[in-house]
Amino acid sequence: MLVRDTFTTAFVKNFIVVLVWLVLSYINGSLVATFFRHQTFYEDPRYILFIHMVMNDGIQLTVTITLFVLSYIFYKINVSFCCFFILVAVFTTRNTPVNLASMAIERYIAICKPLRHPQICTVRRTYIIIGVIWFICVAPDITDLFVTLATESMSFFHESVFCLRQNVFKDPILKYKRQAFDIIYFSCVFLTLVFTYLRILFAARALSTEKMSAQRARNTILLHGVQLAMCMLSYISPSVEIILHLIFPGRILEIRFANYLIVYILPRFLSPIIYGVRDKKFRKYLKMYLLSKRCRVKLQTVAPVDRDEMNRVRGIKLRVRGGDDGDAQLHLLRPSGPVDE
């Protein structure tokens, strides 16, 4: 049975989602602008990985919110467009935990192997790592498209469906493949975070001079773990939805909306908090960027100067410069009218 929201409920839900997207887009845009305005950031592997995650989350958020709004406007969309949106959303969603693992490894090397950090974590190697991240995130899921192209007729891609992954990539074997890769990915990321956290913890106890730096790195990895746990919710959310639907049988739409906010929106708030607020260096430059932007807005709102009045005053000044002291006093006492005697 088809269940749809009322117009008022649909409007409120879309308004909340779009408002959240605008707020996060402004925050992420400020972070990206701050990063590219200062050379000290794009020569540091730590901040390169961070800004890559911010941009990745921005793309993921834009795509998922676009799908959310389209599902209310059109309900069904073309399969080809749906495939594109679904694949981009899947790639960027899988990208986040792998990027978190890379950032945790970079912090581990910086704290536990500080002398080798400049040789190991170079800018060039960081961009290579980002390329590897995209490859291992795209390769397993792009096969869904190839399997669908091989098993479905071309007319299927001209049909319209409600844009869900299971409605487009329908082959049963793809479901088991996704589950297997989900377990592999998140097990590897989880073990990486646990390993780096424990090594940094032991390093903090052993070193007396770098305890504060190690403590900050340990707290950062803990926040990465929280973010990873929230990302993992997307893989248990279908089961949670079924359980909640059994408990609250008449609230399926509200359950789905709450699930969407918690699983796909809330984790995207953590990236700005981890680096944009907690990191002292980035916070200093972010404040400078926001203050300079505010000053530019104020300067643009200043009332324009009257050009005729400016030219008249300029003419008086020229006359004053050309005359003697008595003439200067005479001209200054005349605010208007002809200057010549």
Side-chain angles (χ1 to χ4, degrees):
M1 183 178 66
L2 180 63
V3 181
R4 300 293 297 271
D5 283 321
T6 63
F7 175 79
T8 303
T9 304
F11 176 81
V12 171
K13 287 181 178 180
N14 282 272
F15 177 78
I16 293 173
V17 167
V18 173
L19 181 63
V20 170
W21 175 77
L22 290 173
V23 172
L24 278 176
S25 296
Y26 176 78
I27 295 172
N28 290 339
S30 299
L31 295 175
V32 173
T34 302
F35 174 85
F36 283 107
R37 281 173 178 264
H38 302 285
Q39 188 175 0
T40 183
F41 291 132
Y42 52 82
E43 291 182 350
D44 190 328
R46 176 187 182 186
Y47 295 104
I48 293 173
L49 289 171
F50 161 65
I51 212 66
H52 170 252
M53 187 169 65
V54 169
M55 296 171 70
N56 177 80
D57 287 351
I59 295 171
Q60 194 267 357
L61 196 65
T62 301
V63 171
T64 56
I65 287 179
T66 300
L67 278 177
F68 184 89
V69 174
L70 287 177
S71 68
Y72 278 93
I73 297 175
F74 301 109
Y75 188 68
K76 293 183 178 182
I77 64 173
N78 182 269
V79 171
S80 300
F81 288 109
C82 181
C83 284
F84 172 77
F85 285 122
I86 290 293
L87 287 175
V88 173
V90 169
F91 297 157
T92 51
T93 300
R94 196 182 291 280
N95 204 319
T96 299
V98 183
N99 201 98
L100 288 173
S102 302
M103 295 171 73
I105 292 172
E106 188 276 333
R107 287 292 83 200
Y108 158 71
I109 296 172
I111 299 299
C112 299
K113 302 179 184 296
L115 298 179
R116 297 188 60 190
H117 181 264
Q119 289 77 33
I120 298 174
C121 299
T122 63
V123 173
R124 181 175 176 273
R125 288 181 178 177
T126 303
Y127 285 115
I128 292 174
I129 288 296
I130 291 174
V132 172
I133 289 173
W134 277 99
F135 175 77
I136 63 178
C137 292
V138 168
D141 293 301
I142 198 68
T143 56
D144 290 8
L145 178 61
F146 297 147
V147 171
T148 304
L149 287 170
T151 56
E152 299 287 346
S153 62
M154 291 305 297
S155 60
F156 171 72
F157 292 92
H158 298 285
E159 297 177 4
S160 296
V161 296
F162 184 71
C163 195
L164 292 174
R165 190 172 183 178
Q166 57 267 28
N167 292 344
V168 177
F169 305 117
K170 298 185 292 185
D171 195 302
I173 197 173
L174 296 178
K175 178 181 178 182
Y176 299 108
K177 178 186 74 70
R178 288 195 296 267
Q179 292 175 348
F181 274 102
D182 291 343
I183 294 172
I184 293 172
Y185 272 92
F186 282 93
S187 297
C188 292
V189 173
F190 176 76
L191 292 175
T192 300
L193 292 180
V194 171
F195 171 78
T196 53
Y197 177 81
L198 293 177
R199 291 301 300 266
I200 290 173
L201 179 64
F202 296 145
R205 290 179 177 177
L207 298 174
S208 59
T209 58
E210 296 293 334
K211 279 190 175 181
M212 289 301 297
S213 177
Q215 184 178 0
R216 287 196 298 269
R218 193 173 71 247
N219 293 338
T220 298
I221 293 177
L222 271 179
L223 287 173
H224 288 338
V226 174
Q227 197 170 5
L228 175 66
M230 298 184 76
C231 291
M232 291 178 68
L233 291 176
S234 62
Y235 298 93
I236 64 171
S237 60
S239 302
V240 174
E241 277 190 12
I242 294 173
I243 295 171
L244 291 176
H245 182 50
L246 294 175
I247 300 173
F248 307 102
R251 299 290 182 178
I252 184 62
L253 295 177
E254 288 77 6
I255 291 171
R256 288 177 179 173
F257 181 68
N259 178 67
Y260 175 75
L261 289 178
I262 294 171
V263 173
Y264 293 101
I265 304 296
L266 189 58
R268 271 66 204 174
F269 276 104
L270 287 181
S271 296
I273 292 173
I274 291 174
Y275 281 93
V277 178
R278 288 185 68 252
D279 188 87
K280 291 183 179 180
K281 181 179 178 181
F282 204 93
R283 183 170 67 241
K284 181 182 74 172
Y285 286 100
L286 180 61
K287 285 182 178 179
M288 291 169 53
Y289 168 76
L290 295 175
L291 288 174
S292 65
K293 191 174 181 180
R294 186 177 179 183
C295 291
R296 285 198 301 269
V297 171
K298 285 186 176 180
L299 287 174
Q300 291 173 358
T301 58
V302 174
V305 178
D306 189 337
R307 292 185 178 276
D308 293 336
E309 182 68 18
M310 182 185 291
N311 291 333
R312 189 183 69 79
V313 173
R314 188 178 298 165
I316 292 175
K317 289 181 178 179
L318 290 173
R319 291 289 186 180
V320 169
R321 290 174 185 172
D324 55 16
D325 294 340
D327 290 337
Q329 292 176 3
L330 177 62
H331 292 316
L332 288 173
L333 289 173
R334 287 181 171 180
S336 61
V339 178
D340 295 332
E341 297 292 342

